[in-house]
Amino acid sequence: MDFPTYGIVSLGGVTVGLSLLGWEITRWWPGAKQAGKPKHLLKLLPFLTVWLYGMLLILSAGGLLGAGADWSLWGSSAIGDAVLEYGVGGDTPVVTRSSHLVLSPGGHAVVIIATVVLIAVWTKRRGFNWMIARALISGISLGLASGVAGVAGYVLSPVVSAAGDAVAGLL
């Protein structure tokens, strides 16, 4: 089955991704003296983990998970574009990086394993967890961005692909 993939992020999508990231950091911020302490940094770990997972989803080549990530990217770009255009009268150029990173077969296996773990965590807590939704959309929105906003996705893809290939014995 072929699902359509778009793989294009606009400035509006990056704006949504960075806004959700800013929301989470603002809600977490314990103050300048406490921010660097390990006990406070550990509170960001669940968000960061799901955020990186969102980046992996948008780097997936296709399938149901890739199509869901593309749909989410399209939605965040559309919402961000509307806010930028009608809210402040700005432009929304395409800011997708020029070279797409694609996960290797081992990297795709890591995405499936991470999906199973995320579903287990999400269903264990009973109820909808907005932090997971914010992190997922933020990661998806920033995973293909060029510049500083997309650095994590650029670094994440080869690391996860190499790790997945090594574990699966593909190297």
Side-chain angles (χ1 to χ4, degrees), residues 28 30 33-45:
W28 161 82
K33 290 183 180 180
Q34 301 294 321
K37 293 187 177 178
K39 78 174 191 174
H40 290 293
L41 289 174
L42 283 174
K43 292 179 182 176
L44 275 179
L45 192 58

Side-chain angles (χ1 to χ4, degrees), residues 13 21 31 53 140 147 152 167:
L21 180 62
Y53 169 74
I140 288 170
V167 169

